[in-house]
Amino acid sequence: MLITSTIIATLGLLVDSPAVVIGAMIVAPLMNPILSCAFGISTSDGILIQRSLVTILLGSATVMLLAWALDEAVPTTILSQEIIARTTPNIVDLGIALAAGAAGAFSLTRPKIANSIAGVAIAVALVPPLCVAGIGLGLHDDIGVSVETAVPIGIGNQVTTGALLLFCANLIGITVAASLVFLWQRYGHWRRAGVSLVSLGLLLAVVSGPLSGAMGEFILEKRIDSQIAKLWERYPHYREVIQLKNLSVQTNSKGVKVDFQLYAPSSLLDDQILDQLHGELSQVLEKSGLGTVTTTIRHVPTEVRSYRSTLAP
């Protein structure tokens, strides 16, 4: 089942099909050993914990290697939206994992709602991030990105690192929440599971750091999107024919880098408008103490044609 779900997920990622990737989530059996590990933690069953961890590690390695092999057989030339979406996790993904872990554990303690586990598998992704990590192992610097996707993203190692971070967040979040639910349902004892819970708490804190940083970039993207929308309000005739696409924000110790595309007729976007747009964005971001603001605007020229026809009564 794990092999078939990996094949489905990897091919779905390569052809950018959300429906196929969702189908792979339902087929994937990785949720079971994670919940078993959580149950072992709550009941202080060391053997169950060890067997579950070995299953998780072997299963994860199998998925990554098979995804890498499939990517080598069907070489990736453009990163799809489905791939890119799993390379930039944030703290929201950890919240989803915690909620999914609680739901999964609770459904196991209530036979009447055991069917809910399929919904949990869809809500939190386990196999797709591992497939993206495997795909990232074979990526090269000359790989492009689709016009519909975010433009500047990491290639190769950065893709693998981002996907593995998402998987680790899901793994730790599910395990923590499921362990707490099992203990709440009186499977095991709080005191005997204390050491394991403290260890999980530390892991949760470690993974929350980079996820919180990504969340900051996500919030910045929303602020920039809002600022651009306000600018277009002063130019309503622009708003009708100009589209903002692929907004990306990257922060570092030196400042913030903003990158986006504007689809607009060549006659509308002159240097004055673009300079004004960069100036307003810089003012907003510099007030936040983010340092130097670097804005890259990619202008994609378009042609707008309007047609009107009168229908006979």
Side-chain angles (χ1 to χ4, degrees):
M1 294 296 286
L2 187 61
I3 291 174
T4 55
S5 65
T6 301
I7 295 173
I8 295 171
T10 303
L11 296 180
L13 290 166
L14 294 177
V15 301
D16 200 19
S17 174
V20 175
V21 176
I22 291 173
M25 295 179 190
I26 300 176
V27 177
L30 267 182
M31 179 67 73
N32 295 331
I34 297 176
L35 293 178
S36 296
C37 183
F39 189 81
I41 291 173
S42 64
T43 58
S44 303
D45 189 337
I47 296 178
L48 180 58
I49 295 174
Q50 292 177 9
R51 293 181 61 184
S52 300
L53 289 176
V54 169
T55 302
I56 294 170
L57 291 174
L58 290 178
S60 301
T62 299
V63 172
M64 289 183 61
L65 290 175
L66 181 55
W68 170 78
L70 288 172
D71 181 58
E72 290 296 310
V74 186
T76 302
T77 56
I78 295 180
L79 296 183
S80 67
Q81 178 63 49
E82 287 296 309
I83 293 176
I84 293 178
R86 290 168 174 84
T87 60
T88 54
N90 56 49
I91 202 69
V92 173
D93 296 293
L94 183 59
I96 294 172
L98 289 168
F106 189 74
S107 67
L108 291 182
T109 64
R110 295 291 188 275
K112 291 183 179 180
I113 60 172
N115 292 334
S116 300
I117 197 69
V120 174
I122 297 175
V124 61
L126 293 170
V127 166
L130 289 174
C131 292
V132 172
I135 292 173
L137 293 176
L139 293 182
H140 305 287
D141 292 337
D142 57 348
I143 297 297
V145 292
S146 172
V147 174
E148 291 81 11
T149 58
V151 178
I153 82 158
I155 303 298
N157 290 337
Q158 294 185 21
V159 171
T160 299
T161 302
L164 285 178
L165 178 60
L166 175 58
F167 175 75
C168 290
N170 290 335
L171 174 62
I172 296 171
I174 293 172
T175 305
V176 169
S179 299
L180 294 177
V181 169
F182 284 135
L183 287 169
W184 173 54
Q185 295 292 303
R186 299 182 180 179
Y187 291 96
H189 194 278
W190 291 91
R191 184 178 301 174
R192 296 167 66 181
V195 176
S196 298
L197 290 177
V198 170
S199 301
L200 284 175
L202 292 175
L203 289 175
L204 195 64
V206 169
V207 78
S208 296
L211 293 177
S212 299
M215 186 64 183
E217 294 181 353
F218 176 76
I219 294 174
L220 276 177
E221 287 185 6
K222 296 303 179 183
R223 289 181 58 189
I224 294 172
D225 202 359
S226 175
Q227 188 65 24
I228 295 175
K230 290 180 181 179
L231 177 62
W232 288 160
E233 287 178 0
R234 299 202 296 270
Y235 304 95
H237 57 289
Y238 284 174
R239 184 174 54 188
E240 296 177 357
V241 293
I242 295 179
Q243 290 183 322
L244 172 66
K245 297 285 188 178
N246 309 326
L247 176 62
S248 173
V249 177
Q250 295 177 325
T251 58
N252 53 44
S253 58
K254 298 181 180 179
V256 58
K257 181 179 179 181
V258 181
D259 193 309
F260 58 88
Q261 293 179 350
L262 288 178
Y263 287 71
S266 301
S267 58
L268 285 183
L269 282 185
D270 54 20
D271 292 340
Q272 181 179 357
I273 293 295
L274 295 177
D275 290 343
Q276 182 178 354
L277 180 58
H278 166 68
E280 294 200 9
L281 291 179
S282 298
Q283 290 179 3
V284 172
L285 295 176
E286 287 173 356
K287 291 180 181 178
S288 303
L290 295 173
T292 305
V293 179
T294 304
T295 305
T296 301
I297 303 175
R298 304 171 190 271
H299 176 207
V300 180
T302 61
E303 182 177 353
V304 179
R305 298 186 181 186
S306 299
Y307 298 92
R308 183 178 179 182
S309 59
T310 302
L311 300 178

